[in-house]
Amino acid sequence: GETHTVDLKPGGSQLPVTNENREEYVSLYVDEVLNRGVTEKFDAFAKGFLLLIGGGGALHIFRPQEVERLVCGTPHLDFKALERAAKYEGYNGSEDVIKWLWNTVHSYGIEDQKHFLKFLSGSDRSPIGGLVKLPILIQRAGSDTNRLPTAHTCFNTLLLPQYSSEQKLKERLTLAIQNAVGFGLQ
């Protein structure tokens, strides 16, 4: 990334921050980061959002919870629905390793389920319509190995080796999802 200098007020880059002006500096800095600095991005989001719902006039028919669902996705993560919607390549869906995968995912607490979802899709949120609307592919990635499973988040594809035991799958998958960083900001 590049470093950009932004005057928080006229001539501000030439002024030192002192005890006398630090409250003003913090106030101007917070305004820049949270308001002015995101104006272009927020305006683009608002334009797209209003286009999606058919213009600003339709917005008043939604309750706040419905607008939140449109923006953030479904809060409930139904992994049974994701399992039903999954497609397979190199597997047919009835192999032990696939049963172990879903047993493991269903046994996770909500935080590890979110980690799994982020590892697989790049987002820990459900799309509108629920996880059944998330097209995922579980692809065979060779025979038993000590390698971790990997994912192509752009394609919602999990590359899953054919592990020899459920315990090994759980250890490898858990290690992968809990240590994945991804491309987004944390």
Side-chain angles (χ1 to χ4, degrees):
E2 295 180 25
T3 301
H4 297 280
T5 301
V6 176
D7 277 345
L8 301 178
K9 68 180 198 176
S13 62
Q14 304 303 313
L15 300 173
V17 178
T18 64
N19 280 335
E20 289 76 35
N21 67 6
R22 70 179 177 188
E23 283 186 34
E24 177 188 21
Y25 169 77
V26 170
S27 177
L28 290 168
Y29 179 80
V30 168
D31 182 53
E32 175 63 31
V33 171
L34 298 180
N35 296 318
R36 292 184 297 166
V38 297
T39 298
E40 184 179 334
K41 292 175 183 172
F42 180 79
D43 289 346
F45 165 79
K47 180 180 176 185
F49 180 75
L50 293 175
L51 183 67
L52 176 72
I53 63 167
L59 190 58
H60 75 279
I61 65 172
F62 292 105
R63 295 190 324 256
Q65 298 88 342
E66 293 167 327
V67 173
E68 179 183 19
R69 185 166 288 176
L70 281 171
V71 173
C72 298
T74 307
H76 173 68
L77 299 176
D78 183 358
F79 282 90
K80 291 283 188 189
L82 184 65
E83 179 181 0
R84 287 190 305 273
K87 304 284 186 234
Y88 301 94
E89 188 174 295
Y91 292 118
N92 63 27
S94 64
E95 293 88 353
D96 285 340
V97 70
I98 298 301
K99 292 175 187 171
W100 300 336
L101 169 68
W102 292 114
N103 286 345
T104 298
V105 171
H106 296 308
S107 74
Y108 284 153
I110 189 66
E111 286 307 309
D112 277 340
Q113 285 182 334
K114 286 181 174 183
H115 285 134
F116 173 76
L117 193 56
K118 185 163 186 157
F119 178 76
L120 173 63
S121 70
S123 173
D124 64 356
R125 297 178 186 228
S126 175
I128 295 173
L131 290 180
V132 72
K133 299 292 187 182
L134 183 66
I136 68 162
L137 177 67
I138 313 288
Q139 190 173 35
R140 188 171 188 270
S143 57
D144 188 33
T145 181
N146 284 326
R147 289 183 300 125
L148 299 176
T150 55
H152 297 297
T153 56
C154 293
F155 303 105
N156 302 327
T157 300
L158 176 66
L159 303 174
L160 184 68
Q162 192 165 359
Y163 294 112
S164 59
S165 72
E166 186 169 8
Q167 182 62 33
K168 188 173 189 179
L169 180 145
K170 186 170 189 166
E171 287 170 3
R172 305 274 81 198
L173 182 63
T174 302
L175 185 62
I177 67 170
Q178 289 180 348
N179 291 285
V181 176
F183 297 106
L185 298 174
Q186 298 298 320

